[in-house]
Amino acid sequence: MRKLIFVIFVCVLFSSCSTNRIVYTSLSGMIDYSKYTQKGFFITESNSVSFEYVPVGSVYAEISSGYEVIGEKIDTFYNDLEKSYYSVKKKTFREDYNGWRNADINNAIDMIYSKSIQTGANGIINLQTKYIPPVYDSKNALIYSDRVYVSGMAIKIKQKN
């Protein structure tokens, strides 16, 4: 009888423990290049094209999901070692938050498009996009929110004479 009670106790003990379950998710989306094409800007995921161009520079953007901070200040500084510009967002002393914003691949594409236009480019080749899923700890608390990362080479297309 003791063995039976012990076996039942062990079964109840192990069956009451819950494990983190991986939830089935399904994502789908589309990056619409037509709005850039209508503005005379060329974008492709290919790393080779059939026309001549001058490379302008590498462009990239990363966006993380999270609460939008109201009153951010953007500082730009020049890093002499790497000969490149960085934009750094710094929080003001106010900690007011807007709603939650999801990382959006289209917003990241808009960012590298704008950066390319600022540098005189009229195209991006070798466009690469990456979704980085969120990271949770063993207690299912969010450690890092999901992110999207895009990069490519900004180019200036040579006009035929």
Side-chain angles (χ1 to χ4, degrees):
M1 184 69 171
R2 286 185 178 179
K3 288 182 182 180
L4 180 62
I5 292 174
F6 178 74
V7 169
I8 292 172
F9 173 76
V10 170
C11 288
V12 168
L13 179 67
F14 284 114
S15 65
S16 67
C17 294
S18 64
T19 59
N20 290 339
R21 295 177 188 236
I22 297 174
V23 178
Y24 170 79
T25 58
S26 179
L27 299 173
S28 178
M30 179 181 165
I31 301 170
D32 184 9
Y33 299 138
S34 65
K35 71 179 188 178
Y36 307 107
T37 304
Q38 291 170 358
K39 297 176 184 178
F41 194 85
F42 179 81
I43 295 181
T44 183
E45 294 177 5
S46 176
N47 61 355
S48 66
V49 289
S50 61
F51 51 81
E52 290 187 42
Y53 65 87
V54 176
V56 176
S58 295
V59 288
Y60 63 91
E62 182 175 322
I63 299 177
S64 300
S65 295
Y67 288 100
E68 184 177 32
V69 177
I70 298 173
E72 284 185 326
K73 176 179 147 188
I74 299 178
D75 290 339
T76 303
F77 64 95
Y78 183 71
N79 182 337
D80 192 38
L81 288 175
E82 296 183 12
K83 304 283 187 205
S84 59
Y85 286 93
Y86 293 91
S87 294
V88 179
K89 293 183 179 180
K90 294 185 177 179
K91 290 183 190 176
T92 59
F93 292 106
R94 279 179 33 197
E95 292 211 7
D96 296 335
Y97 295 96
N98 221 356
W100 180 268
R101 288 193 61 185
N102 288 318
D104 184 354
I105 196 84
N106 290 306
N107 290 345
I109 298 282
D110 285 343
M111 290 173 67
I112 65 169
Y113 163 76
S114 295
K115 184 61 80 176
S116 298
I117 291 293
Q118 289 173 8
T119 60
N122 60 0
I124 295 174
I125 62 172
N126 197 23
L127 178 71
Q128 298 177 3
T129 61
K130 185 176 183 181
Y131 172 76
I132 304 163
V135 176
Y136 296 92
D137 68 6
S138 61
K139 296 179 183 171
N140 213 23
L142 183 65
I143 296 175
Y144 298 108
S145 64
D146 61 328
R147 302 183 308 275
V148 292
Y149 180 82
V150 298
S151 63
M153 180 190 292
I155 62 168
K156 177 74 176 165
I157 300 171
K158 289 185 177 181
Q159 300 299 324
K160 292 182 180 179
N161 294 329

